[in-house]
């Protein structure tokens, strides 16, 4: 019956510690250098501190004292099975460290320290590791004997060697990967063309010792990161193939046999320029070119919308190839550009042919361009009147058109005498200009003749003259041409 209850206790303990945290209970060490009942707290406390510094959760000898007193345990060099189970269950630990100080000489002339340590796994009551370390000042000689080896140095050397000698299989069972938090991370650029350089940097907050090795990897590529304080940096060439690539980070503690994998971010390889179009409005199509006289709308169109890093809008003189106006900014494209026929200083440009060009850069640096020609005309049509006075008191007016960049839409001409009588009214559409270039009208005894003229091209540029005296010019022109039998007089349109 007693064995049955013992089996039940062990079974229940196994269930309870199966999910226990990876803690080590460190008991006070037996100290043979004192007497048969000697106890040492200093050495196991230092061991506990060293393990805690290496991210191992420990229960210190001081914390175990209440349990030892409650269970009346006076000899700490070893534990029986039942006591080990109780101890592990109380502190939710997976291992118990017991030890013996076999030699402890603090003499300044000949210091020495020897310890024997064992790790007991209560779950199956087995010794998973044991180690004996002895060191003496007589055996330790510093470089060129320049440094005196005392007990303090011996003590920390023994503890360091003890911790370093823990095998990987034991470390795996007691070391937990430190908690890792990414405080800062950046990948530049996030969009990139194939074969260009990608840089990744991560700043880590770690609860325990930093990893010995950190790698960034995507697909089957693995790149080792260089450490600068708490920052880990690596660079590599992006793959040629377009697509989205996910970056993970792996942290290694080789001496502990631990690793941790963290998803980091992604980057995209983009080798295709945007498909860009440029639509113009607020003008009139003349032989495939848009003509305007005040302003024109330039509306950019992306066939496949995507983020844009930068854009450049330019107006270029077609003949000289000189850039007369430009505007460039980072960020997304505006919905439209408005050009008012002015240069960068805000001065109106002369009438003529201009090239409107738009360039865009996507986030990967791919460039797309669209351009078109426009005709900017801001001057009205220039019309001259050739007046021929005939012998029958009639005047023949001939319309002469100066070279204009646009077709004329209509002309309206009115001839008046000084008494307010309308002598002639002519309305000519652009299509009839060649047919109605000559205008004949009768002159009475009026001394003065006036005319009003309005001419407009097809985009709205207007030339307007009102009540301009015609007879005075004719008389003056006659005096200047006395030798001519027939008076031919040009009247400029002001």
């Amino acid at each position: 019956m007693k064995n049955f209850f013992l089996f039940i206790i062990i079974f229940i303990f196994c269930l309870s510690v199966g999910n226990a945290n990876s803690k080590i209970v460190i008991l006070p060490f037996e100290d043979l250098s004192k007497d048969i009942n000697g106890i040492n707290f200093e050495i196991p406390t230092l061991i506990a501190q060293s393990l805690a510094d290496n991210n191992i959760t420990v229960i210190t000898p001081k914390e175990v004292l209440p349990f030892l007193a409650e269970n009346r345990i006076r000899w700490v060099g070893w534990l029986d099975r039942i006591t080990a189970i109780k101890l592990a269950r109380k502190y939710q630990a997976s291992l118990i460290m017991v030890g013996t100080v076999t030699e402890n000489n603090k003499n300044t002339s000949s210091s020495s320290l020897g310890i024997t340590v064992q790790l007991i796994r209560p779950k199956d009551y087995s010794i998973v590791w044991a180690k004996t370390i002895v060191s003496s000042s007589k055996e330790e000689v510093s470089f060129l004997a320049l440094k005196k080896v005392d007990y303090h140095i011996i003590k920390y050397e023994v503890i360091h060697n003890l911790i370093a000698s823990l095998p990987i299989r034991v470390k795996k069972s007691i070391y937990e990967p430190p908690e890792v938090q990414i405080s800062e991370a950046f990948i530049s650029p996030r969009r990139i063309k194939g074969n260009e350089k990608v840089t990744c940097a991560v700043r880590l907050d770690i609860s325990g010792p930093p990893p010995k090795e950190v790698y960034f990897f995507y697909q089957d590529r693995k790149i080792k990161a260089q450490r600068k304080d708490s920052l880990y940096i690596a660079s590599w060439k992006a793959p040629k193939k377009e697509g989205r690539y996910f970056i993970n980070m792996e942290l290694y503690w080789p001496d502990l046999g631990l690793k941790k994998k963290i998803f980091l971010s992604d980057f995209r390889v983009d080798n295709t320029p945007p498909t860009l179009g440029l639509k113009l409005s607020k003008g009139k199509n003349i032989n495939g070119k848009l003509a305007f006289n005040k302003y024109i709308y330039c509306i950019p169109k992306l066939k496949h919308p995507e983020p844009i890093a930068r854009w450049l809008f330019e107006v270029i003189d077609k003949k000289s190839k000189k850039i007369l106006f430009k505007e460039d900014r980072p960020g997304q494209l505006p919905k439209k550009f408005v050009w008012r026929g002015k240069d960068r200083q805000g001065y109106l440009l002369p009438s003529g042919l201009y090239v409107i060009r738009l360039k865009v850069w996507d986030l990967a640096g791919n460039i797309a361009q669209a351009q078109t020609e426009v005709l900017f005309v801001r001057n009205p049509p220039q019309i001259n009147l050739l007046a021929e006075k005939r012998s029958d008191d009639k005047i023949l007016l001939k319309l002469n058109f100066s070279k204009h960049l646009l077709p004329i839409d209509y002309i309206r001409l009115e001839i008046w005498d000084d008494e307010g009588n309308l002598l002639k009214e002519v309305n000519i559409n652009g299509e009839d200009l060649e047919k109605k270039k000559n205008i004949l009208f009768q002159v009475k005894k009026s001394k003065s003749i006036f005319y009003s003229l309005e001419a407009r091209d097809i985009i709205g540029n207007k030339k307007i003259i009102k009540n301009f005296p015609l007879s005075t010019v004719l008389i003056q022109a006659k005096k200047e041409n006395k030798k001519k039998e027939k008076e031919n007089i040009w009247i400029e349109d002001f």
Side-chain angles (χ1 to χ4, degrees):
M1 182 63 69
K2 184 178 179 180
N3 291 335
F4 174 76
F5 283 112
L6 178 61
F7 172 78
I8 294 297
I9 292 172
I10 295 173
F11 177 76
I12 294 173
F13 167 75
C14 291
L15 291 178
S16 64
V17 301
N19 296 321
N21 294 328
S22 298
K23 295 179 185 177
I24 299 179
V25 175
I26 301 178
L27 296 180
F29 282 9
E30 177 187 15
D31 195 342
L32 299 181
S33 67
K34 294 180 179 179
D35 53 50
I36 194 170
N37 293 319
I39 295 177
N40 187 296
F41 281 93
E42 180 188 15
I43 299 303
T45 300
L46 291 174
I47 292 173
Q49 182 61 51
S50 181
L51 290 172
D53 291 342
N54 284 274
N55 201 42
I56 299 173
T57 305
V58 296
I59 306 300
T60 64
K62 185 177 179 180
E63 294 176 285
V64 180
L65 280 178
F67 176 86
L68 298 178
E70 183 182 346
N71 290 271
R72 298 182 180 182
I73 297 173
R74 292 182 173 84
W75 183 57
V76 291
W78 185 249
L79 287 178
D80 61 77
R81 181 189 293 263
I82 298 300
T83 304
I85 292 172
K86 287 181 179 179
L87 186 61
R89 183 168 54 186
K90 177 176 178 60
Y91 295 104
Q92 289 292 293
S94 57
L95 294 173
I96 300 172
M97 179 181 285
V98 295
T100 301
V101 177
T102 58
E103 186 176 345
N104 191 14
N105 185 359
K106 299 182 180 181
N107 193 306
T108 55
S109 59
S110 57
S111 304
S112 62
L113 177 62
I115 59 173
T116 296
V117 177
Q118 293 178 328
L119 279 177
I120 300 172
R121 184 166 58 209
K123 182 169 62 174
D124 54 5
Y125 196 62
S126 62
I127 298 173
V128 297
W129 175 72
K131 184 73 175 180
T132 297
I133 297 179
V134 180
S135 183
S136 170
S137 60
K138 294 180 180 180
E139 298 174 358
E140 301 288 339
V141 180
S142 65
F143 182 65
L144 298 179
L146 298 176
K147 183 179 179 182
K148 185 178 179 181
V149 179
D150 57 12
Y151 178 76
H152 180 77
I153 295 175
I154 292 294
K155 178 174 58 177
Y156 282 96
E157 184 68 22
V158 167
I159 293 172
H160 173 76
N161 292 338
L162 177 73
I163 301 300
S165 63
L166 280 169
I168 292 293
R169 60 182 178 81
V170 175
K171 290 179 181 179
K172 284 184 177 180
S173 66
I174 60 176
Y175 281 80
E176 291 185 356
E179 290 297 323
V180 179
Q181 182 175 342
I182 298 174
S183 60
E184 293 180 64
F186 73 88
I187 296 173
S188 180
R190 293 289 299 276
R191 283 180 177 260
I192 191 171
K193 289 189 281 190
N195 281 334
E196 291 192 350
K197 184 180 177 182
V198 180
T199 299
C200 182
V202 177
R203 192 179 302 278
L204 300 176
D205 288 334
I206 306 175
S207 63
K212 299 295 183 183
E213 297 174 2
V214 172
Y215 294 89
F216 300 116
F217 66 92
Y218 65 94
Q219 288 189 328
D220 56 349
R221 287 209 57 192
K222 196 171 186 179
I223 304 99
K224 187 174 183 179
Q226 301 298 318
R227 182 184 174 191
K228 294 182 180 179
D229 297 325
S230 59
L231 194 68
Y232 296 85
I233 305 174
S235 297
W236 63 88
K237 277 189 176 182
K240 294 181 182 179
K241 187 178 179 181
E242 286 191 328
R244 187 181 181 189
Y245 296 86
F246 295 95
I247 303 175
N248 291 279
M249 181 172 60
E250 278 191 354
L251 297 83
Y252 289 87
W253 292 263
D255 54 337
L256 307 179
L258 302 174
K259 70 176 181 179
K260 203 162 193 173
K261 183 176 179 181
I262 302 173
F263 170 74
L264 192 59
S265 187
D266 66 338
F267 67 95
R268 185 179 292 277
V269 174
D270 181 5
N271 302 319
T272 305
T275 304
L276 180 66
L278 192 60
K279 181 183 177 183
L280 303 181
S281 65
K282 297 296 180 182
K284 191 161 186 176
N285 194 312
I286 307 295
N287 298 324
K289 295 181 179 63
L290 208 65
F292 71 103
N293 63 349
K294 291 182 180 178
Y295 60 88
I296 192 169
Y297 286 166
C298 308
I299 304 169
K301 295 290 184 181
L302 289 172
K303 186 176 180 180
H304 304 290
E306 62 176 288
I308 296 299
R310 182 165 71 93
W311 53 263
L312 171 64
F313 180 79
E314 296 176 312
V315 178
I316 304 161
D317 183 88
K318 185 182 179 183
K319 187 176 181 180
S320 67
K321 309 300 181 184
K322 184 180 178 181
I323 297 174
L324 303 172
F325 177 86
K326 74 173 183 178
E327 183 179 1
D328 63 325
R329 292 181 188 174
Q332 292 298 314
L333 281 167
K335 293 182 179 180
K336 65 182 177 183
F337 298 94
V338 181
W339 184 50
R340 302 182 184 278
K342 297 180 180 181
D343 62 12
R344 278 176 280 192
Q345 286 73 41
Y347 295 108
L348 275 171
L349 293 169
S351 299
L353 279 173
Y354 295 90
V355 176
I356 291 179
R357 182 168 65 196
L358 177 64
K359 287 184 179 180
V360 297
W361 288 258
D362 64 16
L363 295 181
N366 298 298
I367 303 174
Q369 176 178 302
Q371 67 179 43
T372 186
E373 290 184 8
V374 295
L375 181 58
F376 175 55
V377 181
R378 65 185 182 91
N379 299 320
Q382 298 299 317
I383 301 177
N384 298 315
L385 299 180
L386 176 60
E388 294 182 358
K389 188 174 182 181
R390 296 172 53 164
S391 58
D392 56 357
D393 291 333
K394 290 185 178 179
I395 294 179
L396 177 64
L397 288 181
K398 293 184 178 181
L399 303 180
N400 194 339
F401 310 104
S402 298
K403 186 178 180 180
H404 191 60
L405 294 174
L406 295 173
I408 295 176
D409 186 29
Y410 76 88
I411 294 176
R412 178 181 176 82
L413 178 65
E414 295 178 351
I415 308 295
W416 302 83
D417 62 17
D418 56 358
E419 296 178 355
N421 297 312
L422 180 63
L423 303 179
K424 190 71 174 180
E425 179 181 2
V426 179
N427 292 292
I428 308 173
N429 293 325
E431 299 175 354
D432 300 329
L433 286 179
E434 293 300 323
K435 299 178 183 178
K436 300 182 179 181
K437 291 176 66 175
N438 299 325
I439 303 168
L440 184 66
F441 62 94
Q442 181 73 38
V443 179
K444 297 181 180 179
K445 295 180 180 181
S446 175
K447 296 180 180 180
S448 301
I449 300 174
F450 301 88
Y451 76 92
S452 295
L453 176 69
E454 180 180 340
R456 187 180 72 178
D457 63 22
I458 60 174
I459 64 170
N461 293 306
K462 288 183 180 181
K463 181 72 172 181
I464 299 176
I465 299 174
K466 289 189 176 181
N467 300 325
F468 193 85
L470 182 63
S471 58
T472 304
V473 177
L474 283 171
I475 294 169
Q476 182 181 359
K478 184 176 181 181
K479 291 179 180 179
E480 292 176 354
N481 295 277
K482 289 181 179 180
K483 296 181 181 180
K484 293 184 181 181
E485 294 181 359
K486 188 176 183 179
E487 295 179 335
N488 293 323
I489 294 147
W490 286 94
I491 302 170
E492 291 190 358
D493 190 1
F494 294 93

